[in-house]
Amino acid sequence: MLVSIFVAMAGLSACASAPERVARAPATPTVLITGASRGIGLELARQYAELGWGVIATCRNPAGADELQLLAARHSNLVIESLDVTDNREMDALAARYAGVPIDVLINNAGILGGNDRQQFGRYDYAAFDEVMAVNVKGAIRMVEKFVDNVADSEQKKIMNISSAVGSVSMTFGGQNFYRASKAALNMSMRTISKELRRSKEPGHNEIIVGLIHPGVVATDFAKNVPIPMIEPAESAAAVIKVIDSYKDRRQSGDFLSYTGQELPW
Ligand SMILES: NC(=O)c1ccc[n+]([C@@H]2O[C@H](COP(=O)([O-])OP(=O)(O)OC[C@H]3O[C@@H](n4cnc5c(N)ncnc54)[C@H](OP(=O)(O)O)[C@@H]3O)[C@@H](O)[C@H]2O)c1
């Protein structure tokens, strides 16, 4: 199977399967991105595709992801896969489809804020708490469990998480309690996983580098109506890609970095 996967792009027939289309010559890295329909995830998909990587761009509703569809039409090295990160069965099906395909960089990007008005002290909406945790924390952890062997089989072996500076406990100034808690939990969980992988006896697992990256305050649907200066998604994605590149050593595994490359306090 791997032989057919590692065929050079030029030789691929039009009916090659999506896993075959992204997993090309072994020298070409592959990235899997969650939440690639819009915002930072869409820009990461665009920029990795332009860099020539194999891109597995996942999103909840491929048929409605117009910009992503346009990207896929322009870049044969980008495939779209359906994935809601709260849907365990869909995640299992995707993992089965890509079994044996090396994934150099897994990017847990999908995230929700949960609504400012639903997380005001005294009027907390606990359904919002569950929704935010399900996407931002449980979804990301599950992705790691399901795709860890794909990452371990790759050259670069990176699991990168789009976190947020608002998940820093020492820097908090209040507001968005559920969202903040979710990013703090993501940080703790991924740092814990980074330590556990270092001790793992499974092939390649102890070489995996786990990253936590704050992408900046970015002008996406997510941050709309926030009255503070923002950077554009393209600038954020370019900076995030640089930071991902900067994770080169296992000793950096579990580090929490800003899109500027600066280390952030927990
Ligand atoms: N924007 C900022 O200032 C900022 C700052 C710090 C951190 N972040 C983080 O950056 C990441 C991306 O945010 P963004 O600013 O690009 O927000 P966005 O424009 O709202 O995009 C969020 C993405 O997540 C996807 N998503 C939501 N729930 C999902 C689910 N259950 N399964 C799969 N995908 C799901 C959305 O898909 P649909 O199109 O299907 O809804 C969308 O593609 C998030 O983790 C966020 O916490 C953003």
Side-chain angles (χ1 to χ4, degrees), residues 43-197:
E43 266 310 315
L44 287 169
R46 186 194 315 279
Q47 294 187 25
Y48 273 116
E50 284 168 0
L51 289 168
W53 285 48
V55 181
I56 307 161
T58 72
C59 65
R60 285 194 287 193
N61 175 19
D66 295 343
E67 282 201 62
L68 191 56
Q69 292 289 354
L70 278 175
L71 265 189
R74 245 180 267 136
H75 297 280
S76 58
N77 50 325
L78 184 150
V79 296
I80 302 175
E81 297 284 3
S82 181
L83 180 66
D84 181 327
V85 298
T86 65
D87 186 334
N88 195 29
R89 284 172 63 175
E90 198 175 25
M91 210 185 273
D92 271 340
L94 188 68
R97 223 160 113 64
Y98 282 83
V101 176
I103 295 173
D104 292 83
V105 181
L106 163 63
I107 305 183
N108 281 318
N109 164 78
I112 57 170
L113 178 61
N116 280 314
D117 51 334
R118 299 172 77 197
Q119 36 197 317
Q120 311 258 354
F121 181 71
R123 288 184 284 125
Y124 286 149
D125 173 349
Y126 291 95
F129 181 89
D130 293 343
E131 290 161 25
V132 169
M133 290 293 171
V135 178
N136 299 3
V137 189
K138 194 154 79 174
I141 297 172
R142 258 197 189 137
M143 283 298 291
V144 175
E145 276 210 305
K146 311 271 184 196
F147 289 93
V148 66
D149 288 334
N150 303 73
V151 175
D153 278 352
S154 74
E155 276 294 309
Q156 296 198 19
K157 299 183 175 48
K158 295 181 184 177
I159 295 169
M160 296 286 134
N161 300 278
I162 305 301
S163 181
S164 173
V166 306
S168 166
V169 173
S170 58
M171 293 200 301
T172 190
F173 50 86
Q176 302 177 336
N177 190 354
F178 302 161
Y179 179 66
R180 283 178 188 279
S182 77
K183 292 299 186 180
L186 176 73
N187 288 355
M188 174 53 98
S189 180
M190 289 300 162
R191 197 166 162 92
T192 298
I193 288 173
S194 77
K195 305 294 177 197
E196 290 173 356
L197 288 173

Side-chain angles (χ1 to χ4, degrees), residues 208-266:
I208 291 175
I209 304 174
V210 179
L212 291 152
I213 305 172
H214 166 60
V217 181
V218 190
T220 62
D221 294 342
F222 194 93
K224 67 180 166 213
N225 305 328
V226 181
I228 52 173
M230 295 189 199
I231 59 172
E232 290 303 314
E235 186 183 346
S236 170
V240 166
I241 289 171
K242 265 197 192 162
V243 174
I244 291 173
D245 283 346
S246 79
Y247 282 94
K248 292 194 189 302
D249 193 294
R250 279 191 308 171
R251 280 168 300 185
Q252 296 167 283
S253 192
D255 284 359
F256 180 25
L257 301 180
S258 176
Y259 69 108
T260 57
Q262 189 195 346
E263 194 158 351
L264 290 169
W266 298 112

Side-chain angles (χ1 to χ4, degrees), residues 15-31:
C15 59
S17 73
E20 286 172 335
R21 281 177 56 206
V22 290
R24 300 180 294 160
T28 307
T30 297
V31 60

